[in-house]
Amino acid sequence: MTIRNVIEKIDQFTSERDWGQFHSPKNIASSISIEAAELLECFQWTDPAVTEVLEDEGLLRSVEEEIADILIYALRMCSILGIDAIDAVEKKLGENENKYPISTSKGMTTKYNRLNDAGR
């Protein structure tokens, strides 16, 4: 299934329930933030390694569900605002490549505007 197919499915789901009337950019952005907080809640008071998450079927399923919710809302936002999701990601990756050149950012968690200071 393509991204376009997924967006069409989300739009159909929304239309069938007459929920478009509630999908303002602010409401969708709020929903993305709420679902992202629910994803973070999966890890509240813990800090499991990737292998630990993969071994915990319940936790992995919860993470999967929250990621799905986030993606559904993000793709719905793309639909209502006419944003090409793939194009937006490609543009942002290009910008990030410029902000975080390998030569100064590899192995670093430093924000792009402080990278030159970090090496000193």
Side-chain angles (χ1 to χ4, degrees):
M1 184 177 290
T2 68
I3 293 262
R4 171 74 353 241
N5 296 135
V6 173
I7 291 171
E8 288 171 359
K9 199 168 189 175
I10 293 166
D11 288 348
Q12 180 181 352
F13 179 90
T14 300
S15 177
E16 290 171 347
R17 287 155 181 80
D18 194 26
W19 288 351
Q21 62 183 314
F22 310 115
H23 287 187
S24 67
K26 177 255 175 199
N27 285 349
I28 297 295
S30 295
S31 295
I32 291 168
S33 181
I34 291 163
E35 295 301 340
E38 289 180 10
L39 173 61
L40 189 55
E41 187 178 31
C42 294
F43 303 103
Q44 189 173 16
W45 309 117
T46 65
D47 190 11
V50 172
T51 54
E52 293 173 296
V53 176
L54 292 172
E55 292 168 358
D56 184 334
E57 291 180 25
L59 176 58
L60 186 59
R61 178 68 184 135
S62 294
V63 169
E64 180 181 333
E65 289 175 0
E66 299 309 333
I67 288 172
D69 287 338
I70 294 163
L71 287 170
I72 288 167
Y73 282 123
L75 292 173
R76 179 68 179 143
M77 180 78 86
C78 288
S79 178
I80 66 175
L81 296 179
I83 295 169
D84 182 310
I86 299 298
D87 186 51
V89 169
E90 288 176 341
K91 285 178 187 174
K92 188 63 179 179
L93 283 173
E95 291 172 12
N96 287 345
E97 286 176 353
N98 290 330
K99 286 180 182 178
Y100 296 96
I102 295 169
S103 61
T104 57
S105 65
K106 188 171 185 172
M108 305 283 287
T109 59
T110 308
K111 189 171 177 179
Y112 70 92
N113 62 349
R114 298 187 46 95
L115 276 174
N116 290 333
D117 297 336
R120 293 180 195 173

